[in-house]
């Protein structure tokens, strides 16, 4: 049995975190989990402590990218061979994780994306978002020649090589389309599996309408930069023994 | 450029120079980052106090008014300073992020260690998790 990890980035998710973790314990039994609490203002940290949840607490608020990367760093240090990020807001259906892990462990692809748009079931998100997502599907196809039906899906499971890579380099925010391009550039293959997603239950979405323009611009440029291979110029951190 | 303006610029630049110099002396500003400000002040002062030089430079670059040469120079310098700050900021961001992550992971290791020690019957007196949280604590019900 391979070691599998679920990374749950949590920022002010006190209203969701228990449901999320219990859901994992019940429906994704072959997975370990780690919550990365990004210095929440609410009771997220204390709930995790009281419930005895496995939780990393970032002492300084560092943003979603840094929180998720801390999870990958954890996965790397503790020898996990498979890691997936699940949002702390209960949007993602963890019953699909086994299937995704099986697909990953076949070894043909190094990243498996849970896609809403293969079977078009479950929450399909708003028309504007779908337009944005279509743009990224097209943009990634243009840049890499790969067809990814749901490039903004947060459900992305990766194997050990990619865990090691993400532990070194992970975008600060809105990483999904960009990392897809980066991985394709590095010669990794990406597969997709149909999943259903739910509408979030409480808390705010990380992309408010006002940020949409920033999101589209930043991610579009980030994909282009990833295609041009700027990752090459990054200096990795020295590993601490 | 009028003599009055020359005097004003010279005084302002000198004040700025000594102000930043004092900040460096009292360790408020790191000398490394102040150097570029010093350079800017010195170049402005030279240009200001040697109008001939400035007129020649203005003529060379096709700038009609010598005072505009000064503005152009100052602006160019400011852009360079801003750029250097962007570099520093990016680097600092990356470093802080990694430090934060390492602290979180270290805390986790400590937690695991403490549990193991407690299992072995060894008590460790050190506040690790929870107590380091400076925010007000509310009572929660689960």
């Amino acid at each position: 049995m391979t070691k599998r990890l679920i990374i749950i980035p949590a920022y002010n998710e006190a209203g969701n975190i228990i449901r999320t973790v219990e859901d994992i314990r019940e429906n994704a039994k072959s997975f370990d989990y780690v919550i990365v609490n990004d210095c929440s203002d609410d009771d997220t940290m204390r709930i995790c402590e009281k419930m005895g949840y496995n939780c990393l607490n970032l002492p300084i608020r560092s943003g979603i990218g840094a929180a998720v990367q801390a999870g990958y760093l954890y996965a790397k240090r503790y020898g996990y061979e498979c890691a997936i990020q699940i949002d702390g807001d209960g949007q993602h259906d963890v019953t699909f994780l086994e299937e995704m892990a099986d697909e990953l462990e076949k070894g043909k692809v190094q990243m498996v994306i849970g896609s809403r748009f293969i079977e078009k079931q479950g929450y399909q998100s708003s028309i504007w978002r779908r337009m944005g997502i279509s743009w990224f599907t097209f943009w990634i196809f243009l840049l890499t020649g790969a067809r990814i039906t749901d490039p903004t899906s947060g459900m992305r499971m990766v194997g050990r090589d990619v865990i090691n890579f993400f532990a070194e380099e992970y975008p600060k925010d809105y990483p999904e389309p960009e990392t897809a391009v980066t991985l394709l550039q590095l010669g990794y293959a990406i597969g997709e599996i149909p999943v259903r997603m739910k509408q979030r239950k409480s808390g705010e979405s990380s992309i408010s309408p006002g940020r949409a323009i920033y999101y589209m611009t930043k991610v579009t440029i980030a994909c282009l930069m990833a295609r041009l291979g700027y990752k090459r110029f990054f200096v990795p951190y020295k590993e601490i023994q | 450029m009028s003599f009055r303006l020359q005097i004003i610029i010279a005084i302002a630049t000198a004040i700025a120079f000594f102000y930043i110099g004092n900040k460096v002396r009292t360790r408020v500003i790191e000398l490394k980052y102040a150097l570029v400000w010093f350079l800017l002040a010195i170049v402005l002062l030279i240009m200001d106090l040697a109008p001939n030089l400035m007129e020649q430079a203005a003529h060379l670059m096709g700038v009609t008014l010598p005072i505009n040469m000064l503005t152009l120079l100052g602006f160019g310098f400011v852009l360079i300073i801003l750029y250097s700050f962007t570099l520093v900021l990016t680097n600092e961001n990356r470093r802080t992020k990694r430090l934060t992550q390492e602290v979180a992971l270290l805390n986790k290791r400590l937690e695991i260690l403490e549990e193991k020690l407690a299992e072995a019957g060894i008590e460790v007196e050190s506040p690790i998790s929870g107590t380091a949280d400076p925010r007000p604590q509310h009572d929660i019900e689960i």
Side-chain angles (χ1 to χ4, degrees):
Chain A
M1 197 66 199
T2 53
K3 282 183 83 182
R4 301 163 168 179
L5 181 72
I6 296 173
I7 300 165
I8 312 167
Y11 173 59
N12 291 350
E13 297 284 4
N16 286 312
I17 197 72
I18 294 180
R19 187 167 36 214
T20 306
V21 174
E22 295 308 322
D23 191 28
I24 288 167
R25 283 180 166 171
E26 200 152 303
N27 297 315
K29 289 200 169 71
S30 67
F31 285 83
D32 293 342
Y33 71 92
V34 63
I35 299 163
V36 186
N37 171 26
D38 189 12
C39 215
S40 297
D41 298 314
D42 64 2
D43 283 321
T44 305
M45 179 176 172
R46 294 188 59 227
I47 289 174
C48 291
E49 240 167 59
K50 253 193 176 165
M51 300 293 285
Y53 289 161
N54 186 32
C55 184
L56 291 179
N57 289 301
L58 299 183
I60 299 171
R61 183 161 314 135
S62 312
I64 174 78
V68 172
Q69 191 183 36
Y72 284 116
L73 209 54
Y74 178 92
K76 183 183 177 186
R77 299 275 165 86
Y78 290 91
Y80 283 94
E81 283 144 90
C82 163
I84 184 167
Q85 173 200 339
I86 289 291
D87 288 350
D89 58 18
Q91 253 186 320
H92 296 152
D93 189 341
V94 296
T95 51
F96 292 102
L97 297 193
E98 301 280 353
E99 203 186 321
M100 290 176 77
D102 289 343
E103 181 68 25
L104 188 72
E105 277 152 22
K106 280 181 198 160
K108 283 190 189 139
V109 295
Q110 285 76 37
M111 174 189 261
V112 178
I113 298 176
S115 169
R116 287 161 280 182
F117 306 123
I118 294 178
E119 290 180 352
K120 297 198 165 57
Q121 286 180 337
Y123 179 56
Q124 293 282 302
S125 88
S126 67
I127 175 93
W128 294 109
R129 284 202 185 188
R130 281 210 304 282
M131 277 173 64
I133 292 164
S134 306
W135 158 249
F136 287 123
T137 299
F138 173 72
W139 186 229
I140 289 173
F141 174 72
L142 215 65
L143 291 172
T144 66
R147 283 182 199 279
I148 298 174
T149 61
D150 197 353
T152 63
S153 168
M155 271 179 106
R156 301 168 311 142
M157 187 177 285
V158 298
R160 180 172 261 167
D161 291 347
V162 182
I163 289 174
N164 289 343
F165 177 73
F166 280 170
E168 289 298 332
E169 284 305 334
Y170 199 73
K172 203 171 165 56
D173 49 10
Y174 312 128
E176 292 86 4
E178 177 186 348
T179 46
V181 176
T182 306
L183 292 183
L184 290 166
Q185 269 313 98
L186 290 170
Y188 296 118
I190 296 175
E192 282 189 299
I193 270 195
V195 298
R196 283 185 297 276
M197 287 193 194
K198 299 167 241 177
Q199 214 159 350
R200 42 183 303 130
K201 283 172 183 124
S202 83
E204 288 162 40
S205 169
S206 55
I207 306 169
S208 66
R211 283 200 181 163
I213 292 172
Y214 169 74
Y215 176 84
M216 296 302 291
T217 315
K218 193 244 170 184
V219 175
T220 300
I221 296 172
C223 287
L224 179 67
M225 290 294 176
R227 174 64 181 83
L228 295 175
Y230 77 109
K231 298 282 181 205
R232 214 157 14 125
F233 303 108
F234 279 167
V235 187
Y237 293 95
K238 259 191 193 149
E239 188 65 32
I240 297 167
Q241 291 304 308
Chain B
M1 197 164 67
S2 71
F3 183 66
R4 204 190 325 168
L5 186 61
Q6 246 178 309
I7 295 290
I8 293 173
I9 291 175
I11 290 175
T13 313
I15 290 175
F17 189 92
F18 282 108
Y19 180 77
I20 292 180
N22 195 43
K23 287 288 175 200
V24 173
R25 191 181 62 83
T26 53
R27 306 280 192 279
V28 176
I29 297 176
E30 174 73 41
L31 177 63
K32 191 181 159 195
Y33 303 123
L35 284 177
V36 66
W37 288 111
F38 289 152
L39 193 63
L40 168 64
I42 289 169
V43 169
L44 280 187
L45 259 181
I46 291 174
M47 286 304 213
D48 182 53
L49 297 179
N52 283 340
L53 205 69
M54 197 160 59
E55 267 157 41
Q56 271 175 9
H59 183 71
L60 240 154
M61 289 186 64
V63 180
T64 341
L65 272 177
I67 180 68
N68 280 349
M69 189 63 211
L70 206 63
T71 320
L72 188 71
L73 255 170
F75 183 67
F77 252 102
V78 169
L79 280 186
I80 292 170
I81 293 171
L82 274 181
Y83 173 72
S84 75
F85 284 171
T86 315
L87 283 186
V88 172
L89 190 68
T90 307
N91 203 17
E92 286 313 302
N93 244 314
R94 285 164 59 81
R95 289 152 58 93
T96 322
K97 186 183 78 175
R98 181 50 50 121
L99 264 180
T100 310
Q101 292 167 340
E102 287 293 346
V103 169
L105 282 165
L106 267 177
N107 266 333
K108 185 82 228 165
R109 272 176 74 184
L110 273 178
E111 210 180 280
I112 295 169
L113 252 174
E114 278 194 318
E115 266 168 33
K116 291 243 165 88
L117 283 176
E119 274 169 29
I122 305 166
E123 280 295 318
V124 191
E125 277 182 49
S126 76
I128 302 295
S129 53
T131 42
D133 187 0
R135 289 176 303 250
Q137 308 263 303
H138 316 285
D139 280 327
I140 47 165
E141 283 174 26
I142 292 167

